[in-house]
Amino acid sequence: MRILVVGASGTIGQAVIAQLGEQHEIIRAGRTGVDVQVDITSEASIRSMYEAVGPIDAVVSATGGAHFGPLTDLTPALNQIGIDSKLKGQVNLVLLGLDTVRDGGSFTLTTGIMMDDPIRQGASAALANGGVKAFVHAAAIEMPRGIRINSVSPNVLIESLDKYGPFFRGFEAVPASRVATAFEKSVEGAQTGQNYEVY
């Protein structure tokens, strides 16, 4: 398969590439150090990416930012970060990529544990993650040409504890390689409309 990995230079993206790269052709997309550049907050950028890569069998989204901070400090502008990136950015990867993905192909998006297991300062990220999960669940029944769509909901990564550990006290971190197996299940499997939890 030809697999487009968006967020290829990130921790999860690199793990997905390591997991799928031996069996499939990987096209790396992201902001820097990749085969094709993309800013998922820009519709024009997403369109240009798909035009550049041509027909593909699967899209893996291992990207999407959101604001972390106290609810009392959360402003509409800060909340919009996650809406524009993690939520709308990933949804637009699907909407604008449908014609590029071949019959029977797939999309796999990324959510996160805090939508189901809340943490302090994570309300905005939880909102974006929950929106992605709901979109995947509902869009699955309308996807054309046998195209499947799933999402992966990882716990905090062992590799990211230095940055995110203080937000996830008491959570059992998981290795990125284990998260990558959930993406593999989505890409190579037969299920659709699922949110694979890696906790």
Side-chain angles (χ1 to χ4, degrees):
M1 287 188 280
R2 294 188 81 226
I3 302 172
L4 175 66
V5 178
V6 183
S9 60
T11 305
I12 292 177
Q14 291 180 51
V16 170
I17 290 169
Q19 188 82 14
L20 297 173
E22 292 185 10
Q23 301 293 326
H24 307 286
E25 177 188 352
I26 304 294
I27 304 161
R28 300 169 305 135
R31 289 182 179 269
T32 57
V34 290
D35 302 315
V36 58
Q37 289 190 329
V38 67
D39 173 3
I40 66 166
T41 67
S42 164
E43 290 182 38
S45 181
I46 293 172
R47 290 181 193 277
S48 295
M49 174 190 69
Y50 281 128
E51 288 172 5
V53 302
I56 46 181
D57 298 292
V59 176
V60 167
S61 174
T63 188
H67 174 75
F68 285 78
L71 182 67
T72 52
D73 296 337
L74 184 63
T75 64
L78 290 173
N79 191 49
Q80 196 68 33
I81 295 170
I83 292 171
D84 287 342
S85 181
K86 190 72 178 274
L87 177 54
K88 194 167 74 171
Q90 291 198 97
V91 169
N92 284 344
L93 285 174
V94 177
L95 301 180
L96 301 175
L98 281 173
D99 292 339
T100 305
V101 172
R102 295 181 176 124
D103 294 2
S106 69
F107 290 88
T108 308
L109 309 183
T110 299
T111 58
I113 190 173
M114 73 280 292
M115 67 181 174
D116 296 312
D117 197 353
I119 61 171
R120 289 189 180 94
Q121 305 189 49
S124 187
L127 165 69
N129 287 332
V132 172
K133 178 182 177 181
F135 173 78
V136 165
H137 189 61
I141 65 172
E142 293 190 74
M143 296 293 280
R145 299 181 287 108
I147 297 174
R148 299 177 300 104
I149 182 169
N150 297 299
S151 56
V152 174
S153 178
N155 198 341
V156 64
L157 302 177
I158 290 173
E159 295 86 345
S160 300
L161 283 177
D162 286 349
K163 184 176 182 181
Y164 294 109
F167 293 102
F168 290 91
R169 296 297 187 199
F171 286 71
E172 186 173 351
V174 299
S177 59
R178 188 170 150 216
V179 175
T181 62
F183 283 92
E184 181 181 35
K185 181 178 183 179
S186 177
V187 171
E188 297 189 347
Q191 297 178 3
T192 191
Q194 303 299 306
N195 180 63
Y196 299 119
E197 299 177 351
V198 187
Y199 299 167

